[in-house]
Amino acid sequence: MVIVAPNGEFMPVTPMEGTIVVNIGDLMQRLTADKLKATVHRVILPDTEKGKACCRQSVALFVDPDDEVVIECLDGSSKYKPVTSYDYVRDRLRATYQPA
């Protein structure tokens, strides 16, 4: 896996034995007023034969609140304006998948 470094370039992340990696999404970042950061990442194939032979497991789990739940910063700050879960997901999908 590679992540985006502060300078905007992707950099490799070396797995640590006996650990797991949890990438949170932008909704969790919003809820925590940026205390937890969503990770821009990519998964790439290793470039060595030894790396390619290693076992890798990945589980993707996407969880969203019910549509009518209002999303606001849990710390009470106004870093992000409140928005319903439905509106937030709709806006993110629109930003990602612009009509042709």
Side-chain angles (χ1 to χ4, degrees), residues 17-71:
E17 189 169 332
T19 65
I20 62 171
V21 173
V22 177
N23 290 310
I24 66 165
D26 53 355
L27 184 58
M28 183 67 77
Q29 180 173 326
R30 186 182 185 106
L31 282 168
T32 65
D34 295 342
K35 299 216 177 9
L36 298 176
K37 300 280 188 171
T39 307
V40 177
H41 66 283
R42 293 182 184 163
V43 178
I44 58 172
L45 293 174
D47 56 0
T48 66
E49 288 305 314
K50 182 180 178 184
K52 291 177 184 176
C54 288
C55 179
R56 178 188 136 86
Q57 296 180 349
S58 181
V59 176
L61 174 65
F62 298 90
V63 179
D64 291 308
D66 290 337
D67 289 347
E68 68 279 356
V69 171
V70 176
I71 307 302

